[in-house]
Amino acid sequence: AQVLHALGPEVDAQLAPLFRSAGVSYPPGSVTLIAFKSEKRLDVFASDPSSDGKSQTAPRFIFSRPVLGASGTAGPKLREGDLQVPEGFYRIDLLNPNSLYHLSLRVNYPNDDDIRRGQADERPLANLGGDIMIHGGSGSTGCLAMGDPAIEELFVLAARTGLDSLSLLIVPCDFRDGRIPDLPANAPSWTSSRHDNLRQTLEKFS
């Protein structure tokens, strides 16, 4: 509440025209954040409830911000300390107004699929890692550092939209350009199927 009181009016004034230009209400019905590891970019798409109130309209591009810091290479996060930014379908499960990196949004890594893959690979679940954040600043070890102005926008947008209406895709590269990620030799065999799912989902966003 204190962050919204301090930053909300200025951020709202910056974001509302972007949503209006895209034909989406502000705050919107839902938001999808798409982080591209290779391109070091985060795109924001948003939708409104459909006329019947039972679904959402097609997502529309709102704005893009550079990722200032992200460690690792293409491929999923597998364990604590591997410095990898995760890849997959995630949610934001916490807004942290007291982050060491100004503000942060906590990613729900490991999610159910990460845990299932870890069990199948016989990797210790206690060592899968966690505390993956989208945060301010410019340095990162396994997180996405967005810089302070951008994280203020994302923090306020997430709070205004509501975490239940916010989703996150983290992809190795922009598959829409026909790119194929250059995976390390130790990438697990299931990486390609996860990438296929991400590629198919990404096609809905243009």
Side-chain angles (χ1 to χ4, degrees):
Q2 291 177 337
V3 170
L4 293 180
H5 179 75
L7 302 178
E10 181 178 353
V11 172
D12 291 340
Q14 295 169 351
L15 294 186
L18 302 179
F19 281 81
R20 185 165 54 249
S21 296
V24 181
S25 61
Y26 180 80
S30 65
V31 164
T32 300
L33 308 177
I34 305 177
F36 301 89
K37 291 169 61 172
S38 176
E39 292 79 4
K40 287 185 165 54
R41 187 180 84 244
L42 187 143
D43 289 353
V44 175
F45 285 78
S47 304
D48 279 328
S50 60
S51 56
D52 61 11
K54 297 180 181 179
S55 60
Q56 296 286 324
T57 59
R60 296 191 178 185
F61 173 77
I62 308 298
F63 64 88
S64 179
R65 296 291 181 264
V67 175
L68 303 186
S71 60
T73 62
K77 182 174 183 61
L78 300 176
R79 61 186 61 84
E80 180 77 30
D82 63 6
L83 305 183
Q84 282 289 92
V85 174
E87 295 173 358
F89 302 88
Y90 296 100
R91 305 198 68 82
I92 301 300
D93 62 10
L94 179 72
L95 300 179
N96 181 7
N98 301 308
S99 172
L100 294 175
Y101 302 93
H102 188 41
L103 301 167
S104 64
L105 288 65
R106 189 175 69 189
V107 179
N108 72 326
Y109 173 89
N111 62 17
D112 290 344
D113 190 51
D114 295 316
I115 293 171
R116 181 171 63 86
R117 298 292 189 182
Q119 291 173 327
D121 294 346
E122 298 184 345
R123 285 180 279 120
L125 298 187
N127 294 335
L128 295 183
D131 288 330
I132 302 299
M133 305 285 180
I134 302 173
H135 59 65
S138 59
S140 173
T141 52
C143 300
L144 297 172
M146 302 299 302
D148 291 356
I151 199 61
E152 289 176 0
E153 292 178 325
L154 296 173
F155 190 98
V156 172
L157 176 59
R160 298 287 196 228
T161 304
L163 298 189
D164 290 342
S165 299
L166 188 67
S167 58
L168 169 67
L169 273 66
I170 307 179
V171 298
C173 62
D174 195 340
F175 293 117
R176 298 170 300 184
D177 294 340
R179 301 185 190 186
I180 299 175
D182 186 14
L183 294 172
N186 64 346
S189 59
W190 48 263
T191 303
S192 59
S193 64
R194 179 174 286 189
H195 284 180
D196 286 343
N197 290 335
L198 288 167
R199 182 184 294 107
Q200 293 170 14
T201 301
L202 192 58
E203 291 174 355
K204 302 176 183 176
F205 298 87
S206 60

